[in-house]
Amino acid sequence: MAVGILFVVQMVTAMFGTSLIQAFIDGNPDRAPMTVGVALMSVSGLAVVGIGLLMYPVLKPVNPTLALWYPVLRVVECLVSAACGVYLLAASEAFPNHLLWVYVPTGIGGIILCFLLVVGRLVPRPIALLGLVGYAALTIGVPLDLLGVLDMSAGAGMLLVVPGGLFELVFFPIWLIAKGFRPLPASVDLSSPALVTAP
């Protein structure tokens, strides 16, 4: 349940924080809302770290190595977001492509999370696959946005963030709050050679 609540907290605070910061970037001279936006992004970052730490013992039985990378990438995500916030407060302008740099650890970490969810059968397969598709789309979208092929903040490019948003804000947290994680079958440990040879 705690992980589900933190997913909602991090998404809601990130959405409101981003909107306040974007208003400042778009020309609103008032620094107070922008400062509130940075504070909300900090709350989102702390929630992200909390998710990573709480998920590690859940994911570890599936694969200890991959499970460790998930909280590491969530900490990196928080640090990147915090660095962009400090830059904004100090320079009164956003770091170039700041959201895209946050999306990098978000996407890679999310792929690891959802892969382990699928293998461990910890949540219903459609929910885990939705997250896997969403985080893959987010990760692929970053270089495309940087190259100017599309803009993930507008138009058709926004479709790349929709699956991940639905996973993080709706389906995954609702399932965790209502049902929690499923018991882990003993046969799904990726570190076990038996899994490789099993039919």
Side-chain angles (χ1 to χ4, degrees), residues 56 59-68 115-116 184 188-192:
Y56 175 68
L59 301 174
K60 183 180 178 181
V62 183
N63 184 285
T65 303
L66 285 177
L68 181 60
F115 175 72
L116 294 178
L184 180 69
V188 299
D189 190 342
L190 291 179
S191 64
S192 172

Side-chain angles (χ1 to χ4, degrees), residues 1-12 51 55 113 117 123-124 127-128 130-131 135 163-181:
M1 179 181 289
V3 173
I5 293 172
L6 285 177
F7 261 100
V8 175
V9 169
Q10 68 95 9
M11 280 292 289
V12 171
I51 290 168
M55 284 301 302
L113 167 66
L117 291 177
V123 298
I127 293 177
L130 173 65
Y135 289 121
L166 290 174
F167 172 81
E168 289 196 349
L169 185 60
V170 182
F171 294 102
F172 189 51
I174 287 177
W175 176 267
L176 293 186
I177 293 170
K179 300 287 187 178
F181 291 105

Side-chain angles (χ1 to χ4, degrees), residues 111-183:
I111 290 171
I112 292 173
L113 167 66
C114 294
F115 175 72
L116 294 178
L117 291 177
V118 170
V119 173
R121 304 168 198 166
L122 297 169
V123 298
R125 190 177 183 88
I127 293 177
L129 290 177
L130 173 65
L132 195 60
V133 169
Y135 289 121
L138 186 70
T139 304
I140 292 170
V142 169
L144 294 178
D145 197 323
L146 289 172
L147 291 171
V149 176
L150 52 79
D151 181 358
M152 285 200 293
S153 64
M158 292 185 68
L159 294 176
L160 293 178
V161 303
V162 170
L166 290 174
F167 172 81
E168 289 196 349
L169 185 60
V170 182
F171 294 102
F172 189 51
I174 287 177
W175 176 267
L176 293 186
I177 293 170
K179 300 287 187 178
F181 291 105
R182 291 174 169 176

